[in-house]
Amino acid sequence: MITLDPIGTVRSKYTDPSQVPKGTGAKHDAEGVLEIRPEFEAGLTDIEGYSHLYVLWIFDRAEGFHLMSQPPNADRPHGVFSTRSPHRPNAIGLTVVELLGRDGPRLRVRGLDMLDGTPIVDIKPYLSSIPVETLRRGWLGEAERRHS
Amino acid sequence: MITLDPIGTVRSKYTDPSQVPKGTGAKHDAEGVLEIRPEFEAGLTDIEGYSHLYVLWIFDRAEGFHLMSQPPNADRPHGVFSTRSPHRPNAIGLTVVELLGRDGPRLRVRGLDMLDGTPIVDIKPYLSSIPVETLRRGWLGEAERRHS
């Protein structure tokens, strides 16, 4: 067991889960700010060189978990580890954002899908991509084909 | 603050950090198993449809953190959030693996860079890639060019 202590906070235009685009075809192009606590600012050194970052954060407004869940546009329940459901055994979220710029401890980013005030626990560089042509996207790929 | 409780354990051929390929040009093609605890097995339902997964795990053998660190092949220290250093404020690791197959609660995967016995805290589908041509890889890209 380990305990996480937030390194910062998301500043986002979303204040309620219903505002966050969900389901097949959802576009995540919302801009906002990752506000890092001043005592961690040195840890951002040289981050400007990256175009994209992984943000690890806490689903702080989700309670409990369900091993099976039915996401928007799914035609049946799927295992929680096959989904991005907030109701996970360990309520950690993962989002890839585009880094637009940095003002000291504030990172301006595009691609947020978190609520305003969400606690950030880690930031990592996005280093490599799986080529799209080798990616299989499971039940979500099927759902997208059904809805297209 | 939230507390993480592992959902499973990595079975890897690596037993010591020195065995894990590091630095520019490191290849991660080690195969191994993600052993999920039986009580979470239902959460894996339909995961077979994905070719790649995100694995979130704990650097359980790293102590403390440094805001600046100098990774292998770097020519100067970089901020910890610009690196994959294990010595992070919240010691969570993130690895993309290829899913080779599933035997009940055991996922056979390729691309491990974790030590044997590493606690797993979450598994998520790898859904989309940033096109390689739009990716900037910061100081690591520079280091690779220096060493190529």
Side-chain angles (χ1 to χ4, degrees):
Chain A
M1 295 236 253
I2 72 159
T3 300
L4 303 179
D5 193 13
I7 60 164
T9 306
V10 176
R11 293 298 163 210
S12 154
K13 67 180 179 183
Y14 302 127
T15 55
D16 186 275
S18 66
Q19 298 165 340
V20 182
K22 287 186 194 69
T24 57
K27 286 228 172 182
H28 295 291
D29 52 12
E31 295 186 15
V33 171
L34 309 178
E35 273 189 4
I36 304 306
R37 286 161 53 186
E39 62 266 41
F40 293 118
E41 180 176 344
L44 299 174
T45 305
D46 296 329
I47 207 159
E48 302 88 330
Y50 294 98
S51 58
H52 294 77
L53 302 172
Y54 286 117
V55 185
L56 277 67
W57 47 279
I58 298 175
F59 286 104
D60 64 324
R61 275 153 277 189
E63 281 184 37
F65 70 88
H66 310 289
L67 288 180
M68 299 290 291
S69 74
Q70 185 153 350
N73 288 356
D75 61 352
R76 61 189 193 281
H78 300 285
V80 65
F81 302 122
S82 305
T83 76
R84 302 188 69 213
S85 166
H87 301 285
R88 327 180 64 76
N90 293 295
I92 305 179
L94 174 65
T95 300
V96 176
V97 298
E98 182 182 355
L99 179 59
L100 302 176
R102 174 181 164 199
D103 311 306
R106 297 165 54 89
L107 302 179
R108 287 178 289 109
V109 299
R110 179 185 292 135
L112 292 180
D113 59 357
M114 308 83 128
L115 298 179
D116 189 56
T118 292
I120 301 166
V121 291
D122 202 5
I123 293 176
K124 297 177 189 291
Y126 186 105
L127 292 174
S128 61
S129 296
I130 306 299
V132 168
E133 61 274 18
T134 67
L135 213 55
R136 282 185 302 115
R137 304 174 67 249
W139 67 264
L140 189 70
E142 289 168 31
E144 286 168 346
R145 287 189 286 277
R146 272 202 312 278
H147 289 86
S148 66
Chain B
M1 295 236 253
I2 73 160
T3 299
L4 303 180
D5 192 13
I7 60 164
T9 306
V10 175
R11 294 298 163 210
S12 155
K13 67 180 179 184
Y14 302 126
T15 54
D16 186 273
S18 66
Q19 299 165 339
V20 182
K22 287 187 194 65
T24 56
K27 287 230 173 183
H28 295 292
D29 51 12
E31 296 186 14
V33 171
L34 309 178
E35 273 189 3
I36 304 306
R37 286 161 53 188
E39 62 266 42
F40 294 117
E41 180 176 344
L44 299 175
T45 305
D46 295 331
I47 207 160
E48 301 90 330
Y50 294 99
S51 57
H52 294 77
L53 303 172
Y54 286 116
V55 185
L56 278 68
W57 46 278
I58 300 176
F59 285 105
D60 64 324
R61 273 153 279 189
E63 280 183 40
F65 68 89
H66 311 289
L67 288 180
M68 299 290 291
S69 73
Q70 184 154 351
N73 288 357
D75 61 352
R76 62 190 192 280
H78 301 283
V80 66
F81 303 122
S82 304
T83 76
R84 301 188 69 212
S85 165
H87 300 286
R88 328 180 63 77
N90 292 297
I92 305 178
L94 174 64
T95 300
V96 176
V97 297
E98 182 182 356
L99 179 59
L100 302 176
R102 175 181 163 198
D103 311 305
R106 297 165 55 89
L107 302 178
R108 286 178 289 110
V109 298
R110 179 185 293 135
L112 292 180
D113 59 358
M114 308 82 127
L115 298 180
D116 189 56
T118 292
I120 301 166
V121 292
D122 203 5
I123 293 176
K124 297 176 189 290
Y126 186 104
L127 292 174
S128 60
S129 296
I130 307 298
V132 168
E133 61 273 19
T134 67
L135 214 54
R136 281 185 304 114
R137 304 173 66 250
W139 67 265
L140 189 69
E142 290 168 30
E144 287 168 344
R145 286 188 289 276
R146 273 201 313 277
H147 289 87
S148 66

